[in-house]
Amino acid sequence: MKIISYKKIILILMCMSMLSLLGCTDNKILKSNKNQVSNKVHKINNKISNFLGFPIYLDPRAGKVAYSTITEDDYFIYYCSENGINRVDKKTGEYKLILKCKNTGNLILSDRYIFFVVENGSKDCCILRVDKDGKNLLKLVDKKNVPERGYCIELSLYDDEIYIRVIGKVYSFNMSSYNIRLLCEDADSFQIHNGYMYYIDHGEKTFTIYKRNLNNLKDQIFLGKGISMPQSDIYDNFLWAGGDLYYSTRVPWKIHKYSEGKSVLINSTKNNYVSDIVEYKGQAYFVISDGDDTYRIKKYSSKDNAVFEVAELKDYYGGLRMVNGYAYYYGKDYKNQYIKLNE
């Protein structure tokens, strides 16, 4: 039996796409503009994408895409590119550049808005908001609000506040009052959960997870010893997902789940290390290195109380985003990479 190669399958499907277009070239389509024709091609390509298993919906019209910005809601996929902010309809595959703007990044969504950062070349933090259809652009934060010089490294939303990390400092910006507060001067990573700020410090290198009251800004040790350069109980990374805290410790590398006041070991690696912990659809995913430039994405299932491998990566340099069944990340030399999740 003759086996048709992968490339031939792609060629056959592309030909089918073109034939489908030729069969529909009535006067209306002939008079339509290039975008209308391109979107028709894209709808067909979206079906091919589902068959072949790779994301054709990253439309070439967008230009160079920043994979670390790819995100989604129930209906659309959004991402930043060299041309601005782009949107793709999940159902039809229709593509649209909704906001033309250079140097965009750090894109996050609320129910109604898109929040993003513009790197204006002067290393000042500049955060903007726009409706999900690209209308009503509004600047929220710039160098007048945040005196710290440096790009905005991290953005998050909680209630009516935007939380911003610039270098090691964390600020909160209230979208009703436009008031801004300095919450922390030394955070390597942070997350807002149930009205508290959880963070790991950087300068003191205590490798401790702190819980900070956002009203009086007082700390309590949540996990760890709170002393500089500890020899044990080294907390490396953490993430709240689905109401539980997942965190990694070293050395050796271990992954734990903290729930209802108790920590449970869910994964242990002797010679490997935990590179990242991310959340996708309320579940915790871990990027674990094999020590030979091979990385594995593993998922913890609360239902099964077990860890499952969902993807193998050739190399991994960070920036992991999981959207619509795919993992997007930076590979070697920070080149954009993606892989379909096996789940």
Side-chain angles (χ1 to χ4, degrees), residues 49 53-59 67 326 328 338-340:
S49 173
F54 60 82
I56 296 177
Y57 57 73
L58 293 180
D59 198 287
Y67 275 23
Y326 285 85
Y328 300 87
Y338 61 81
I339 189 168
K340 188 171 179 62

Side-chain angles (χ1 to χ4, degrees), residues 17-277:
S17 298
M18 295 309 299
L19 286 171
S20 176
L21 282 176
L22 290 171
C24 298
T25 52
D26 56 21
N27 290 332
K28 290 182 180 179
I29 293 179
L30 288 172
K31 292 178 182 179
S32 67
N33 60 38
K34 291 181 180 179
N35 280 339
Q36 288 175 317
V37 174
S38 183
N39 279 328
K40 185 169 181 64
V41 174
H42 204 67
K43 289 177 184 179
I44 298 169
N45 282 345
N46 193 55
K47 294 178 181 179
I48 298 173
S49 173
N50 293 331
F51 178 79
L52 295 176
F54 60 82
I56 296 177
Y57 57 73
L58 293 180
D59 198 287
R61 287 173 288 174
K64 186 177 180 181
V65 176
Y67 275 23
S68 62
T69 66
I70 299 173
T71 188
E72 66 181 332
D73 60 17
D74 291 338
Y75 305 102
F76 297 98
I77 295 167
Y78 303 83
Y79 53 88
C80 296
S81 72
E82 59 184 335
N83 296 328
I85 297 178
N86 309 268
R87 188 182 75 181
V88 178
D89 189 302
K90 285 185 177 180
K91 187 175 181 179
T92 66
E94 183 177 2
Y95 162 83
K96 185 177 182 180
L97 176 65
I98 59 172
L99 182 68
K100 192 173 182 180
C101 183
K102 298 294 184 181
N103 304 318
T104 57
N106 274 9
L107 189 151
I108 56 174
L109 304 176
S110 68
D111 290 340
R112 179 179 174 184
Y113 298 111
I114 302 170
F115 299 85
F116 63 99
V117 170
V118 170
E119 298 175 355
N120 57 19
S122 60
K123 295 186 177 180
D124 292 320
C125 182
C126 185
I127 301 170
L128 296 92
R129 185 188 78 189
V130 70
D131 293 348
K132 285 188 172 181
D133 59 3
K135 298 178 181 178
N136 300 317
L137 180 65
L138 177 66
K139 181 186 287 187
L140 297 174
V141 175
D142 60 16
K143 61 183 179 181
K144 295 177 183 177
N145 307 104
V146 179
E148 188 69 26
R149 301 276 295 180
Y151 292 135
C152 177
I153 299 172
E154 189 174 352
L155 280 185
S156 64
L157 295 173
Y158 187 84
D159 289 340
D160 199 34
E161 305 268 344
I162 304 175
Y163 293 88
I164 310 155
R165 184 163 69 93
V166 182
I167 308 179
K169 295 185 178 181
V170 179
Y171 296 85
S172 67
F173 175 81
N174 186 282
M175 288 182 280
S176 296
S177 67
Y178 274 50
N179 290 331
I180 194 161
R181 284 199 306 158
L182 176 62
L183 301 179
C184 182
E185 297 193 55
D186 182 32
D188 187 63
S189 60
F190 79 98
Q191 189 174 2
I192 308 298
H193 178 73
N194 284 348
Y196 289 89
M197 174 181 166
Y198 295 80
Y199 74 97
I200 295 176
D201 73 311
H202 175 72
E204 294 297 321
K205 299 188 184 302
T206 64
F207 301 102
T208 295
I209 300 176
Y210 293 95
K211 179 181 179 181
R212 175 161 291 193
N213 186 307
L214 292 177
N215 294 318
N216 58 26
L217 302 185
K218 290 186 177 180
D219 282 339
Q220 68 182 78
I221 293 175
F222 189 72
L223 292 171
K225 297 180 177 180
I227 60 174
S228 184
M229 303 297 289
Q231 299 302 307
S232 61
D233 293 330
I234 298 175
Y235 292 81
D236 184 75
N237 202 351
F238 73 93
L239 173 80
W240 285 97
D244 297 320
L245 178 72
Y246 298 86
Y247 62 91
S248 59
T249 57
R250 56 182 171 94
V251 178
W253 290 89
K254 296 179 181 180
I255 300 172
H256 309 256
K257 173 186 173 182
Y258 182 92
S259 181
E260 298 180 350
K262 296 181 180 179
S263 288
V264 178
L265 178 67
I266 60 174
N267 191 262
S268 180
T269 60
K270 293 182 179 179
N271 301 318
N272 308 336
Y273 66 90
V274 182
S275 181
D276 256 329
I277 307 175

